[in-house]
Amino acid sequence: MSYATDLTETSASRAASTDTAPSQVHKPGQCTRANEVISLVGDKWSVQIVMLLGTGRHRFMEIKRAIEGISQKMLTVTLRGLERDGYVTRTVYPTIPPKVEYELTDLGLDLLEPLRALGSWALANHDRVVAARTAYDARAKAK
Amino acid sequence: MSYATDLTETSASRAASTDTAPSQVHKPGQCTRANEVISLVGDKWSVQIVMLLGTGRHRFMEIKRAIEGISQKMLTVTLRGLERDGYVTRTVYPTIPPKVEYELTDLGLDLLEPLRALGSWALANHDRVVAARTAYDARAKAK
DNA sequence: CAGTATCCGTTGCGATACTG
DNA sequence: CAGTATCGCAACGGATACTG
């Protein structure tokens, strides 16, 4: 499938249209490509870690302590994934005990912007979602 | 944990800071709240469906055909979730055969904006990610 | 400290069959 | 057409133990 995600497509241009006709531009394959990147957001921990690293360079254990609830295993796995995708760099200091620092790359810093936009939106609209959920569940319960 | 996602925090304000000190504002609980909403993005299909509905009202089978690879079950489940969270409305026309239409609510339309930003970013930076992955795998293979 | 390795329950999700 | 119900596998991800 493909939904219009062209850089030219503004949300304002659509906001007004209430017609039923799906007269948008559709280019197959765009979604697939977009999802390859977005799926990272789908990850339970990736977003949180990128956001945290947005505050600067951090050590492994620092991150673990900061991200409440993450297991050592998942932190390692997630960081590897982020490194592989080019979002973070991993710097090892061969000391005893070892010291490893993680930091966002330029790509990671770039990603931070749309991520922050989403985070802000989430925070701002959290209550509306919760309210919707409560209302829905109440209707469902009343059957 | 909590990373600074304050509406006041701009990406520019951080972009310049290269210091190691994590001297950001941290308010516990914000992440939890934000994640409650962002986890929707983590879903494999939700984003695609919201984006598609951004092009207008659609019937069940229309969506199924548009979202390549989705099963009937997952479409139903995902749409229910989106409805519960207040992103889409479900309108049933009690005809034979039945006709059900899905459409974004105001909340859903609002969400579209940060989602489109992310989608645009993903499309624009897809190649950088793929390049990073290839390079990483090459280094790993060379061991 | 920063991992790696193993076990193992839970969940996600597709395939299939059936219904109003 | 638009679902619901059931099965079954594969993955996700937590707990624990071990290592340089």
PDB file of all heavy atoms in Angstrom, chain A residues 5-7 9 11 38 110-111 113-118, chain B residues 51 111-125:
ATOM      1  N   THR A   5       2.797  10.462   1.741  1.00  0.00           N
ATOM      2  CA  THR A   5       3.684  10.986   2.776  1.00  0.00           C
ATOM      3  C   THR A   5       4.685  11.934   2.144  1.00  0.00           C
ATOM      4  O   THR A   5       5.747  12.175   2.665  1.00  0.00           O
ATOM      5  CB  THR A   5       4.455   9.860   3.471  1.00  0.00           C
ATOM      6  OG1 THR A   5       3.674   8.701   3.485  1.00  0.00           O
ATOM      7  CG2 THR A   5       4.806  10.260   4.879  1.00  0.00           C
ATOM      8  N   ASP A   6       4.323  12.420   0.972  1.00  0.00           N
ATOM      9  CA  ASP A   6       5.237  13.303   0.270  1.00  0.00           C
ATOM     10  C   ASP A   6       5.580  14.510   1.120  1.00  0.00           C
ATOM     11  O   ASP A   6       4.761  15.007   1.879  1.00  0.00           O
ATOM     12  CB  ASP A   6       4.598  13.787  -1.030  1.00  0.00           C
ATOM     13  CG  ASP A   6       4.431  12.645  -2.008  1.00  0.00           C
ATOM     14  OD1 ASP A   6       3.477  11.842  -1.837  1.00  0.00           O
ATOM     15  OD2 ASP A   6       5.253  12.512  -2.889  1.00  0.00           O
ATOM     16  N   LEU A   7       6.780  14.960   0.949  1.00  0.00           N
ATOM     17  CA  LEU A   7       7.231  16.120   1.705  1.00  0.00           C
ATOM     18  C   LEU A   7       6.369  17.319   1.372  1.00  0.00           C
ATOM     19  O   LEU A   7       6.239  18.245   2.159  1.00  0.00           O
ATOM     20  CB  LEU A   7       8.697  16.450   1.376  1.00  0.00           C
ATOM     21  CG  LEU A   7       9.765  15.453   1.807  1.00  0.00           C
ATOM     22  CD1 LEU A   7       9.637  15.155   3.284  1.00  0.00           C
ATOM     23  CD2 LEU A   7       9.675  14.154   1.038  1.00  0.00           C
ATOM     24  N   GLU A   9       3.159  17.196   0.849  1.00  0.00           N
ATOM     25  CA  GLU A   9       1.828  17.053   1.427  1.00  0.00           C
ATOM     26  C   GLU A   9       1.747  17.712   2.801  1.00  0.00           C
ATOM     27  O   GLU A   9       2.381  17.256   3.749  1.00  0.00           O
ATOM     28  CB  GLU A   9       1.496  15.564   1.570  1.00  0.00           C
ATOM     29  CG  GLU A   9       0.276  15.107   0.809  1.00  0.00           C
ATOM     30  CD  GLU A   9      -0.982  15.273   1.624  1.00  0.00           C
ATOM     31  OE1 GLU A   9      -0.885  15.205   2.849  1.00  0.00           O
ATOM     32  OE2 GLU A   9      -2.025  15.482   1.038  1.00  0.00           O
ATOM     33  N   SER A  11      -0.475  18.883   6.206  1.00  0.00           N
ATOM     34  CA  SER A  11      -1.663  18.421   6.907  1.00  0.00           C
ATOM     35  C   SER A  11      -2.822  19.377   6.683  1.00  0.00           C
ATOM     36  O   SER A  11      -3.971  19.000   6.726  1.00  0.00           O
ATOM     37  CB  SER A  11      -1.370  18.304   8.399  1.00  0.00           C
ATOM     38  OG  SER A  11      -1.027  19.568   8.919  1.00  0.00           O
ATOM     39  N   ILE A  38      10.268   3.388  10.576  1.00  0.00           N
ATOM     40  CA  ILE A  38       9.286   3.613  11.625  1.00  0.00           C
ATOM     41  C   ILE A  38       9.190   2.439  12.581  1.00  0.00           C
ATOM     42  O   ILE A  38       8.901   2.608  13.757  1.00  0.00           O
ATOM     43  CB  ILE A  38       7.900   3.923  11.010  1.00  0.00           C
ATOM     44  CG1 ILE A  38       7.956   5.270  10.287  1.00  0.00           C
ATOM     45  CG2 ILE A  38       6.825   3.927  12.066  1.00  0.00           C
ATOM     46  CD1 ILE A  38       6.668   5.682   9.646  1.00  0.00           C
ATOM     47  N   ASP A 110      19.214  13.928  14.175  1.00  0.00           N
ATOM     48  CA  ASP A 110      18.174  14.320  13.215  1.00  0.00           C
ATOM     49  C   ASP A 110      16.835  13.699  13.583  1.00  0.00           C
ATOM     50  O   ASP A 110      15.798  14.345  13.535  1.00  0.00           O
ATOM     51  CB  ASP A 110      18.557  13.842  11.808  1.00  0.00           C
ATOM     52  CG  ASP A 110      19.467  14.831  11.103  1.00  0.00           C
ATOM     53  OD1 ASP A 110      19.982  15.737  11.783  1.00  0.00           O
ATOM     54  OD2 ASP A 110      19.652  14.687   9.885  1.00  0.00           O
ATOM     55  N   LEU A 111      16.916  12.420  13.940  1.00  0.00           N
ATOM     56  CA  LEU A 111      15.698  11.684  14.278  1.00  0.00           C
ATOM     57  C   LEU A 111      15.004  12.291  15.490  1.00  0.00           C
ATOM     58  O   LEU A 111      13.786  12.232  15.622  1.00  0.00           O
ATOM     59  CB  LEU A 111      16.038  10.216  14.561  1.00  0.00           C
ATOM     60  CG  LEU A 111      14.892   9.309  15.003  1.00  0.00           C
ATOM     61  CD1 LEU A 111      13.802   9.254  13.940  1.00  0.00           C
ATOM     62  CD2 LEU A 111      15.400   7.915  15.316  1.00  0.00           C
ATOM     63  N   GLU A 113      14.281  15.162  16.268  1.00  0.00           N
ATOM     64  CA  GLU A 113      13.285  16.214  16.044  1.00  0.00           C
ATOM     65  C   GLU A 113      11.860  15.664  15.858  1.00  0.00           C
ATOM     66  O   GLU A 113      10.965  16.015  16.637  1.00  0.00           O
ATOM     67  CB  GLU A 113      13.706  17.071  14.852  1.00  0.00           C
ATOM     68  CG  GLU A 113      13.030  18.426  14.854  1.00  0.00           C
ATOM     69  CD  GLU A 113      13.609  19.319  13.775  1.00  0.00           C
ATOM     70  OE1 GLU A 113      14.803  19.165  13.442  1.00  0.00           O
ATOM     71  OE2 GLU A 113      12.866  20.155  13.253  1.00  0.00           O
ATOM     72  N   PRO A 114      11.630  14.786  14.862  1.00  0.00           N
ATOM     73  CA  PRO A 114      10.276  14.233  14.728  1.00  0.00           C
ATOM     74  C   PRO A 114       9.859  13.427  15.952  1.00  0.00           C
ATOM     75  O   PRO A 114       8.678  13.370  16.286  1.00  0.00           O
ATOM     76  CB  PRO A 114      10.373  13.350  13.483  1.00  0.00           C
ATOM     77  CG  PRO A 114      11.816  13.125  13.252  1.00  0.00           C
ATOM     78  CD  PRO A 114      12.513  14.330  13.786  1.00  0.00           C
ATOM     79  N   LEU A 115      10.832  12.845  16.628  1.00  0.00           N
ATOM     80  CA  LEU A 115      10.534  12.063  17.825  1.00  0.00           C
ATOM     81  C   LEU A 115      10.053  12.967  18.946  1.00  0.00           C
ATOM     82  O   LEU A 115       9.101  12.635  19.672  1.00  0.00           O
ATOM     83  CB  LEU A 115      11.786  11.302  18.261  1.00  0.00           C
ATOM     84  CG  LEU A 115      11.692   9.780  18.296  1.00  0.00           C
ATOM     85  CD1 LEU A 115      10.970   9.245  17.076  1.00  0.00           C
ATOM     86  CD2 LEU A 115      13.060   9.177  18.426  1.00  0.00           C
ATOM     87  N   ARG A 116      10.690  14.107  19.088  1.00  0.00           N
ATOM     88  CA  ARG A 116      10.273  15.055  20.118  1.00  0.00           C
ATOM     89  C   ARG A 116       8.890  15.596  19.819  1.00  0.00           C
ATOM     90  O   ARG A 116       8.084  15.813  20.730  1.00  0.00           O
ATOM     91  CB  ARG A 116      11.278  16.206  20.200  1.00  0.00           C
ATOM     92  CG  ARG A 116      12.563  15.819  20.914  1.00  0.00           C
ATOM     93  CD  ARG A 116      13.038  16.988  21.799  1.00  0.00           C
ATOM     94  NE  ARG A 116      14.123  16.565  22.671  1.00  0.00           N
ATOM     95  CZ  ARG A 116      15.416  16.774  22.402  1.00  0.00           C
ATOM     96  NH1 ARG A 116      15.768  17.399  21.292  1.00  0.00           N
ATOM     97  NH2 ARG A 116      16.334  16.362  23.246  1.00  0.00           N
ATOM     98  N   ALA A 117       8.636  15.805  18.520  1.00  0.00           N
ATOM     99  CA  ALA A 117       7.312  16.297  18.122  1.00  0.00           C
ATOM    100  C   ALA A 117       6.251  15.291  18.553  1.00  0.00           C
ATOM    101  O   ALA A 117       5.212  15.661  19.115  1.00  0.00           O
ATOM    102  CB  ALA A 117       7.259  16.506  16.609  1.00  0.00           C
ATOM    103  N   LEU A 118       6.548  14.029  18.315  1.00  0.00           N
ATOM    104  CA  LEU A 118       5.608  12.977  18.701  1.00  0.00           C
ATOM    105  C   LEU A 118       5.463  12.900  20.216  1.00  0.00           C
ATOM    106  O   LEU A 118       4.350  12.770  20.741  1.00  0.00           O
ATOM    107  CB  LEU A 118       6.090  11.634  18.151  1.00  0.00           C
ATOM    108  CG  LEU A 118       5.109  10.475  18.242  1.00  0.00           C
ATOM    109  CD1 LEU A 118       3.887  10.743  17.378  1.00  0.00           C
ATOM    110  CD2 LEU A 118       5.777   9.178  17.835  1.00  0.00           C
TER     111      LEU A 118
ATOM    112  N   MET B  51      -2.504   6.670   8.808  1.00  0.00           N
ATOM    113  CA  MET B  51      -2.049   7.413   7.631  1.00  0.00           C
ATOM    114  C   MET B  51      -3.024   7.241   6.471  1.00  0.00           C
ATOM    115  O   MET B  51      -3.362   8.211   5.785  1.00  0.00           O
ATOM    116  CB  MET B  51      -0.666   6.910   7.220  1.00  0.00           C
ATOM    117  CG  MET B  51       0.420   7.200   8.232  1.00  0.00           C
ATOM    118  SD  MET B  51       0.799   8.949   8.415  1.00  0.00           S
ATOM    119  CE  MET B  51       2.004   9.139   7.102  1.00  0.00           C
ATOM    120  N   LEU B 111      -3.270  13.767  15.409  1.00  0.00           N
ATOM    121  CA  LEU B 111      -2.138  12.845  15.466  1.00  0.00           C
ATOM    122  C   LEU B 111      -1.425  12.766  14.127  1.00  0.00           C
ATOM    123  O   LEU B 111      -0.213  12.541  14.066  1.00  0.00           O
ATOM    124  CB  LEU B 111      -2.621  11.457  15.870  1.00  0.00           C
ATOM    125  CG  LEU B 111      -1.573  10.353  15.912  1.00  0.00           C
ATOM    126  CD1 LEU B 111      -0.478  10.670  16.909  1.00  0.00           C
ATOM    127  CD2 LEU B 111      -2.215   9.014  16.242  1.00  0.00           C
ATOM    128  N   LEU B 112      -2.191  12.965  13.081  1.00  0.00           N
ATOM    129  CA  LEU B 112      -1.654  12.864  11.726  1.00  0.00           C
ATOM    130  C   LEU B 112      -0.434  13.747  11.508  1.00  0.00           C
ATOM    131  O   LEU B 112       0.498  13.358  10.793  1.00  0.00           O
ATOM    132  CB  LEU B 112      -2.760  13.262  10.741  1.00  0.00           C
ATOM    133  CG  LEU B 112      -2.881  12.496   9.426  1.00  0.00           C
ATOM    134  CD1 LEU B 112      -2.849  11.005   9.659  1.00  0.00           C
ATOM    135  CD2 LEU B 112      -4.172  12.901   8.736  1.00  0.00           C
ATOM    136  N   GLU B 113      -0.445  14.891  12.135  1.00  0.00           N
ATOM    137  CA  GLU B 113       0.641  15.847  11.897  1.00  0.00           C
ATOM    138  C   GLU B 113       2.014  15.324  12.353  1.00  0.00           C
ATOM    139  O   GLU B 113       2.921  15.200  11.539  1.00  0.00           O
ATOM    140  CB  GLU B 113       0.321  17.183  12.560  1.00  0.00           C
ATOM    141  CG  GLU B 113       1.121  18.329  11.963  1.00  0.00           C
ATOM    142  CD  GLU B 113       0.635  19.675  12.488  1.00  0.00           C
ATOM    143  OE1 GLU B 113      -0.558  19.780  12.821  1.00  0.00           O
ATOM    144  OE2 GLU B 113       1.466  20.594  12.569  1.00  0.00           O
ATOM    145  N   PRO B 114       2.195  14.967  13.643  1.00  0.00           N
ATOM    146  CA  PRO B 114       3.489  14.410  14.045  1.00  0.00           C
ATOM    147  C   PRO B 114       3.808  13.100  13.326  1.00  0.00           C
ATOM    148  O   PRO B 114       4.970  12.782  13.083  1.00  0.00           O
ATOM    149  CB  PRO B 114       3.334  14.187  15.549  1.00  0.00           C
ATOM    150  CG  PRO B 114       1.883  14.242  15.826  1.00  0.00           C
ATOM    151  CD  PRO B 114       1.297  15.140  14.800  1.00  0.00           C
ATOM    152  N   LEU B 115       2.761  12.365  12.974  1.00  0.00           N
ATOM    153  CA  LEU B 115       2.965  11.106  12.270  1.00  0.00           C
ATOM    154  C   LEU B 115       3.507  11.352  10.872  1.00  0.00           C
ATOM    155  O   LEU B 115       4.402  10.650  10.392  1.00  0.00           O
ATOM    156  CB  LEU B 115       1.637  10.345  12.183  1.00  0.00           C
ATOM    157  CG  LEU B 115       1.586   8.966  12.833  1.00  0.00           C
ATOM    158  CD1 LEU B 115       2.291   8.948  14.160  1.00  0.00           C
ATOM    159  CD2 LEU B 115       0.158   8.493  12.969  1.00  0.00           C
ATOM    160  N   ARG B 116       2.976  12.362  10.209  1.00  0.00           N
ATOM    161  CA  ARG B 116       3.447  12.694   8.868  1.00  0.00           C
ATOM    162  C   ARG B 116       4.888  13.183   8.918  1.00  0.00           C
ATOM    163  O   ARG B 116       5.696  12.893   8.040  1.00  0.00           O
ATOM    164  CB  ARG B 116       2.555  13.777   8.250  1.00  0.00           C
ATOM    165  CG  ARG B 116       1.229  13.250   7.755  1.00  0.00           C
ATOM    166  CD  ARG B 116       0.847  13.921   6.439  1.00  0.00           C
ATOM    167  NE  ARG B 116      -0.320  13.276   5.832  1.00  0.00           N
ATOM    168  CZ  ARG B 116      -1.562  13.721   5.945  1.00  0.00           C
ATOM    169  NH1 ARG B 116      -1.815  14.811   6.638  1.00  0.00           N
ATOM    170  NH2 ARG B 116      -2.540  13.076   5.348  1.00  0.00           N
ATOM    171  N   ALA B 117       5.182  13.924   9.986  1.00  0.00           N
ATOM    172  CA  ALA B 117       6.549  14.416  10.146  1.00  0.00           C
ATOM    173  C   ALA B 117       7.511  13.239  10.242  1.00  0.00           C
ATOM    174  O   ALA B 117       8.562  13.217   9.588  1.00  0.00           O
ATOM    175  CB  ALA B 117       6.657  15.285  11.399  1.00  0.00           C
ATOM    176  N   LEU B 118       7.113  12.256  11.022  1.00  0.00           N
ATOM    177  CA  LEU B 118       7.941  11.070  11.175  1.00  0.00           C
ATOM    178  C   LEU B 118       8.049  10.305   9.868  1.00  0.00           C
ATOM    179  O   LEU B 118       9.128   9.846   9.476  1.00  0.00           O
ATOM    180  CB  LEU B 118       7.346  10.167  12.261  1.00  0.00           C
ATOM    181  CG  LEU B 118       8.218   9.015  12.719  1.00  0.00           C
ATOM    182  CD1 LEU B 118       9.467   9.524  13.398  1.00  0.00           C
ATOM    183  CD2 LEU B 118       7.436   8.084  13.636  1.00  0.00           C
ATOM    184  N   GLY B 119       6.919  10.198   9.172  1.00  0.00           N
ATOM    185  CA  GLY B 119       6.909   9.497   7.889  1.00  0.00           C
ATOM    186  C   GLY B 119       7.812  10.161   6.872  1.00  0.00           C
ATOM    187  O   GLY B 119       8.569   9.494   6.155  1.00  0.00           O
ATOM    188  N   SER B 120       7.738  11.459   6.815  1.00  0.00           N
ATOM    189  CA  SER B 120       8.591  12.212   5.881  1.00  0.00           C
ATOM    190  C   SER B 120      10.059  11.987   6.210  1.00  0.00           C
ATOM    191  O   SER B 120      10.887  11.768   5.330  1.00  0.00           O
ATOM    192  CB  SER B 120       8.272  13.706   5.969  1.00  0.00           C
ATOM    193  OG  SER B 120       6.944  13.937   5.557  1.00  0.00           O
ATOM    194  N   TRP B 121      10.358  12.041   7.494  1.00  0.00           N
ATOM    195  CA  TRP B 121      11.717  11.834   7.934  1.00  0.00           C
ATOM    196  C   TRP B 121      12.197  10.444   7.534  1.00  0.00           C
ATOM    197  O   TRP B 121      13.302  10.262   7.023  1.00  0.00           O
ATOM    198  CB  TRP B 121      11.827  12.002   9.454  1.00  0.00           C
ATOM    199  CG  TRP B 121      13.240  12.049   9.923  1.00  0.00           C
ATOM    200  CD1 TRP B 121      13.989  13.173  10.130  1.00  0.00           C
ATOM    201  CD2 TRP B 121      14.085  10.933  10.218  1.00  0.00           C
ATOM    202  NE1 TRP B 121      15.248  12.815  10.529  1.00  0.00           N
ATOM    203  CE2 TRP B 121      15.337  11.455  10.593  1.00  0.00           C
ATOM    204  CE3 TRP B 121      13.905   9.557  10.204  1.00  0.00           C
ATOM    205  CZ2 TRP B 121      16.405  10.639  10.942  1.00  0.00           C
ATOM    206  CZ3 TRP B 121      14.971   8.734  10.548  1.00  0.00           C
ATOM    207  CH2 TRP B 121      16.214   9.283  10.917  1.00  0.00           C
ATOM    208  N   ALA B 122      11.339   9.469   7.764  1.00  0.00           N
ATOM    209  CA  ALA B 122      11.685   8.081   7.450  1.00  0.00           C
ATOM    210  C   ALA B 122      11.985   7.921   5.966  1.00  0.00           C
ATOM    211  O   ALA B 122      12.976   7.288   5.577  1.00  0.00           O
ATOM    212  CB  ALA B 122      10.538   7.161   7.852  1.00  0.00           C
ATOM    213  N   LEU B 123      11.141   8.516   5.153  1.00  0.00           N
ATOM    214  CA  LEU B 123      11.334   8.437   3.708  1.00  0.00           C
ATOM    215  C   LEU B 123      12.621   9.124   3.292  1.00  0.00           C
ATOM    216  O   LEU B 123      13.401   8.603   2.486  1.00  0.00           O
ATOM    217  CB  LEU B 123      10.136   9.099   3.013  1.00  0.00           C
ATOM    218  CG  LEU B 123       9.295   8.231   2.078  1.00  0.00           C
ATOM    219  CD1 LEU B 123       9.131   6.826   2.609  1.00  0.00           C
ATOM    220  CD2 LEU B 123       7.940   8.887   1.882  1.00  0.00           C
ATOM    221  N   ALA B 124      12.836  10.290   3.865  1.00  0.00           N
ATOM    222  CA  ALA B 124      13.997  11.089   3.498  1.00  0.00           C
ATOM    223  C   ALA B 124      15.311  10.460   3.942  1.00  0.00           C
ATOM    224  O   ALA B 124      16.341  10.614   3.287  1.00  0.00           O
ATOM    225  CB  ALA B 124      13.857  12.503   4.074  1.00  0.00           C
ATOM    226  N   ASN B 125      15.272   9.748   5.063  1.00  0.00           N
ATOM    227  CA  ASN B 125      16.512   9.202   5.611  1.00  0.00           C
ATOM    228  C   ASN B 125      16.660   7.700   5.478  1.00  0.00           C
ATOM    229  O   ASN B 125      17.593   7.119   6.042  1.00  0.00           O
ATOM    230  CB  ASN B 125      16.622   9.601   7.091  1.00  0.00           C
ATOM    231  CG  ASN B 125      16.720  11.096   7.265  1.00  0.00           C
ATOM    232  OD1 ASN B 125      15.714  11.777   7.381  1.00  0.00           O
ATOM    233  ND2 ASN B 125      17.928  11.620   7.261  1.00  0.00           N
TER     234      ASN B 125
END
